[in-house]
Amino acid sequence: MIAISHDPDSGTLYWYFTDIIAGSTDGEGECDATLLLDEDGQIIGLELELDGSVSKSDLTFALGHPGVRYDPATYTLSIQLLEAADIDAQPISESAILDFDLVGMIQGAEIQPAKTFGLDTRLERLAPFMVNLDEAEDEGEGEAPIAPPAIPPAAEQAAPAAEPEKSIRSGFVALVGKPNVGKSTLLNAILGEKVAITSPKPQTTRIPMRGIYTRPDAQVIFVDTPGIHDPRTKLGSFMVDQARRAIPDADIICFVVDISEPPSRLDRKIAELMRRTRTPKLLVLNKVDLPTPKGQQNLEAYRALGTWDMELAVSATKQKGLDTLLDELVKRLPEGAQLFPDGQRTDQGSRERASELVREQVLRLTEQEVPHSVAVEVEEWEERGAAIYMRMTVYVEKESQKAILIGAKGAMLKQIGSRARTGIERMLGRAAYLDLWVKTRTNWRDDPSSLRWLGYTDKS
Ligand code: GDP
Ligand code: MG
């Protein structure tokens, strides 16, 4: 059964399609929402206006409940829990926040109707669905949610610093922000190399990864985060863990926003989460290359979301403002040792990065048909003279997706392969032979052993 909980303090209503286990939420999104009311104005359901980036399998949890329907023509997820003689649909001005798990399935949604709506007086009929999650709430209130662990995990694995006496500035910078603001693009632009995959669809980044920028006087280790959430909410109270993982022992937090749009509810929530940490915070206004008539207004609105050590305007795609950003970051880093050797740009292995480059092309080239039900596994990786031979399997959930991926006479797969190979060769700095296969593994996203096998485990 769908579970609902209400936080009277913030006026938020949480709808859970599944039990949420600590650390299981991997990202979030936003969408328009409409409440369904009966003739007495009591809530009987909710409609969520999703978009084409959500596939039917992402709705597995939601569609498992009676009264939930999805209309792919309008991308509307309709949750009607109770009957009514007459249904009144009331759009909510604030967008709903959706939570996604590690493989992109929607776990739940939270909505916050305007105060004037009188949420507390409209919950009578939802009583059978109500759960109380107070115990989990406000854990560690007042204390910074992002506690720095004593030793950064990456430092343990890192090669010993070459010259112990060489003093430079070094440390961790977390790139935090809602999906699609350009965090991964920014990281790639800074490193001058593709280390994080990007796509116009949110939820592209699945694994938190580090990108390493080294110059003679400094080493900056960037953490590109897959998602972050307000740990004080009931739905998000389980996510303190996630936040800790997403911002591991950061020395500086960059709050990355899209200046071409005003702050949304998710921006505000992320900013609120950051307010409770004492780590220096920079406000990074990305996408300044876009025409933004309301730029000044947006800037003021973002500025008001917190106290910022500095504001910086950048364009990740046009590579504007990056040197200034780097200088400002380096200035604020502690003196320390070089944690990674010169020339190492990421903590991800080449194989993992190569498979991510393939997954990226699948996401880019297949549009909405084969969205997030894709996993790529490296089956073989072998030196062959000056080149590297690699065989990878792209796993999809359905025969129909497999057909799309392969395309007429194999044309689609060929295109995916050749584009991915270009990126892989650039990354490796040498020639690569890429042998791509497509296999169907039914419901891999539902099967814990498949998930483990494909590497989607909680690595923390
Ligand atoms: P992330 O979810 O925050 O990591 O966002 P991505 O890096 O995947 O970028 C999301 C989308 O925004 C992509 O289509 C990018 O090309 C685009 N984007 C990123 N930075 C910029 C920028 O500076 N200017 C413009 N115009 N688009 C950008
Ligand atoms: Mg990203």
Side-chain angles (χ1 to χ4, degrees):
M1 195 166 85
I2 286 177
I4 301 175
S5 75
H6 174 220
D7 177 1
D9 297 338
S10 65
T12 308
L13 201 58
Y14 302 86
W15 303 62
Y16 311 90
F17 304 131
T18 179
D19 290 339
I20 296 180
I21 306 155
S24 70
T25 297
D26 188 53
E28 49 287 315
E30 286 174 295
C31 72
D32 288 339
T34 299
L35 276 169
L36 304 178
L37 309 178
D38 71 4
E39 49 287 351
D40 300 322
Q42 293 294 323
I43 298 171
I44 57 159
L46 174 69
E47 277 182 0
L48 299 169
E49 314 291 329
L50 305 176
D51 64 27
S53 70
V54 175
S55 72
K56 198 165 175 193
S57 56
D58 296 334
L59 300 174
T60 307
F61 293 137
L63 295 173
H65 298 283
V68 181
R69 280 173 299 114
Y70 182 61
D71 179 356
T74 58
Y75 304 126
T76 303
L77 184 70
S78 157
I79 305 151
Q80 193 190 328
L81 301 176
L82 299 148
E83 293 302 323
D86 196 16
I87 297 181
D88 174 23
Q90 284 244 2
I92 304 164
S93 55
E94 283 274 23
S95 51
I97 294 180
L98 305 168
D99 280 307
F100 297 89
D101 73 4
L102 293 163
V103 293
M105 287 202 241
I106 296 182
Q107 300 174 306
E110 54 167 275
I111 54 164
Q112 202 177 57
K115 290 266 182 294
T116 50
F117 176 72
L119 181 62
D120 5 11
T121 64
R122 297 173 185 266
L123 300 171
E124 275 166 31
R125 293 194 65 190
L126 294 180
F129 299 91
M130 284 293 182
V131 292
N132 196 345
L133 287 164
D134 274 343
E135 321 83 60
E137 201 200 6
D138 283 353
E139 183 201 330
E141 162 104 79
E143 161 206 338
I146 302 143
I151 304 166
E156 288 168 12
Q157 310 154 3
E163 313 274 311
E165 60 271 29
K166 183 174 138 198
S167 179
I168 60 164
R169 292 192 181 275
S170 71
F172 291 80
V173 173
L175 297 177
V176 176
K178 69 177 179 184
N180 258 355
V181 294
K183 299 179 295 297
S184 300
T185 309
L186 182 65
L187 182 54
N188 290 332
I190 287 171
L191 300 182
E193 186 191 357
K194 192 149 211 164
V195 293
I197 68 168
T198 61
S199 89
K201 297 176 197 129
Q203 312 302 326
T204 307
T205 307
R206 274 180 186 165
I207 315 160
M209 55 151 308
R210 297 188 166 89
I212 304 151
Y213 170 82
T214 308
R215 66 183 203 195
D217 62 328
Q219 183 164 70
V220 189
I221 299 148
F222 289 93
V223 186
D224 183 14
T225 60
I228 190 145
H229 207 292
D230 178 359
R232 293 186 67 204
T233 63
K234 289 181 183 170
L235 186 60
S237 63
F238 305 96
M239 253 95 58
V240 178
D241 261 11
Q242 176 63 22
R244 280 190 209 283
R245 191 151 51 112
I247 311 183
D249 54 88
D251 294 298
I252 305 168
I253 300 175
C254 287
F255 179 38
V256 186
V257 303
D258 178 348
I259 187 67
S260 71
E261 285 177 7
S264 69
R265 193 168 153 226
L266 198 47
D267 288 301
R268 287 200 289 276
K269 292 200 79 159
I270 295 169
E272 195 183 304
L273 166 65
M274 290 188 321
R275 270 210 287 277
R276 278 169 287 140
T277 138
R278 267 170 258 114
T279 311
K281 291 174 279 272
L282 304 189
L283 177 60
V284 178
L285 308 148
N286 189 31
K287 309 200 186 182
V288 288
D289 56 290
L290 293 176
T292 307
K294 297 230 168 103
Q296 189 57 32
Q297 220 167 307
N298 294 352
L299 168 64
E300 272 154 33
Y302 282 113
R303 194 178 274 165
L305 296 183
T307 339
W308 312 105
D309 287 73
M310 183 150 199
E311 295 161 11
L312 291 134
V314 301
S315 165
T317 48
K318 297 275 185 304
Q319 318 233 344
K320 293 260 163 63
L322 303 185
D323 289 338
T324 313
L325 172 62
L326 280 166
D327 288 340
E328 292 300 332
L329 290 173
V330 168
K331 233 188 253 176
R332 290 173 172 79
L333 288 178
E335 292 207 348
Q338 187 171 330
L339 297 170
F340 292 90
D342 288 342
Q344 184 172 341
R345 295 236 177 79
T346 168
D347 66 339
Q348 262 186 318
S350 302
R351 292 170 199 221
E352 203 172 1
R353 290 165 65 199
S355 72
E356 284 285 272
L357 289 167
V358 171
R359 195 168 66 86
E360 174 184 45
Q361 291 308 328
V362 172
L363 290 180
R364 283 178 177 257
L365 290 171
T366 59
E367 299 293 344
Q368 282 151 21
E369 303 99 323
V370 191
H372 292 284
S373 44
V374 165
V376 180
E377 198 192 26
V378 180
E379 312 265 10
E380 238 181 290
W381 185 277
E382 189 179 83
E383 305 269 345
R384 288 197 184 165
I388 292 187
Y389 168 81
M390 57 199 76
R391 184 161 57 85
M392 297 193 204
T393 305
V394 181
Y395 287 94
V396 291
E397 289 186 299
K398 294 188 200 100
E399 284 301 321
S400 59
Q401 295 170 332
K402 181 174 167 181
I404 291 166
L405 260 190
I406 293 174
K409 294 193 179 136
M412 177 58 94
L413 193 62
K414 222 175 255 169
Q415 202 185 356
I416 292 168
S418 94
R419 291 202 189 181
R421 185 172 52 84
T422 309
I424 292 169
E425 291 188 331
R426 198 175 302 140
M427 168 197 56
L428 295 172
R430 59 201 284 198
Y433 295 110
L434 173 60
D435 198 358
L436 265 191
W437 295 79
V438 183
K439 282 187 191 156
T440 309
R441 194 174 166 98
T442 314
N443 289 333
W444 67 263
R445 302 205 288 179
D446 285 332
D447 173 5
S449 68
S450 292
L451 289 177
R452 256 195 312 282
W453 171 74
L454 288 164
Y456 291 118
T457 46
D458 188 341
K459 283 179 185 152
S460 71

